[in-house]
Amino acid sequence: MTVTILLADDQELVRAGFAMILDARDDLEVVGEAGDGLEAAALAAELRPDVVLMDVRMPRLDGIEATRRIVASGNTARVVMLTTFDLDEPVFAALRAGASGFLLKDIRPADLADAVRVVARGEALLAPTVTRRLLDRFATGLPPGAGPDRRLDPLTAREAEVLTLVARALTNAEIAERLFLTQATVKTHVSAILTKLGLRDRVQAAVLAYETGLVRPGAVSDPG
């Protein structure tokens, strides 16, 4: 099955380089290119790609707002932000807008192709330590809650426990070992969490766990 990709970056050279890398793979195909956020949102609606590689900073409309519009429209494309620095502040806003992760622009060609495949499958794209570092910094800027957050009410106690570990960037295998469950059972719980909460992927689940106060910044050490 071929993964279709939309490239959105205001630098033509960057788009050309990424297109060359991705189109060289038999299972990946670049179906469109956009030079700004408005064009990216329009092409995403027209082409319905599997993955959108979106630059954070672009003219007319930045990548964050373009991502927000794509996600809000109900488009199933997975949006991955392209950035120069791994702790670029807009990345936090992009995750809240619905992005499924981010990539550094100097990523190696083989890693770029693998990352596109991973996010197309709906799996976690960010490395565990990067996820924790990003979300911990992101969460420190959240206002303190005025009271109990009811968004997690649909979850069972076990599902809330699994969500906590997802937010701490544990893999299914690590969660299974921690909770003495099979990986198949963990996968079932994760799917139920995403369905009940109307979330697109594990990254969005982790963001919500921090937003609701289920997980607090620096509450635990990185898994490993």
Side-chain angles (χ1 to χ4, degrees), residues 17-70:
F18 276 34
M20 182 175 64
I21 291 168
L22 296 170
D23 280 334
R25 273 65 180 180
D26 291 339
D27 60 332
L28 305 178
E29 179 186 5
V30 174
V31 294
E33 297 184 22
D36 60 61
L38 281 177
E39 189 178 9
L43 283 177
E46 175 187 344
L47 301 173
R48 312 295 290 189
D50 298 311
V51 177
V52 180
L53 296 181
M54 180 87 73
D55 188 19
V56 170
R57 295 181 175 87
M58 289 186 291
R60 295 210 295 168
L61 191 71
D62 64 33
I64 298 169
E65 182 57 31
T67 297
R68 187 175 290 112
R69 293 186 185 186
I70 290 171

Side-chain angles (χ1 to χ4, degrees), residues 140-163:
T140 57
L142 291 175
D149 194 307
R150 311 309 300 248
R151 285 179 288 177
L152 301 184
D153 284 359
L155 302 184
T156 65
R158 175 63 90 185
E159 288 165 351
E161 192 174 14
V162 170
L163 175 57

Side-chain angles (χ1 to χ4, degrees), residues 153-188:
D153 284 359
L155 302 184
T156 65
R158 175 63 90 185
E159 288 165 351
E161 192 174 14
V162 170
L163 175 57
T164 299
L165 298 179
V166 167
R168 291 171 179 169
L170 272 68
T171 65
N172 284 355
E174 290 167 335
I175 295 173
E177 182 178 0
R178 181 77 63 91
L179 299 181
F180 303 102
L181 301 171
T182 66
Q183 289 191 48
T185 299
V186 173
K187 186 175 181 180
T188 298

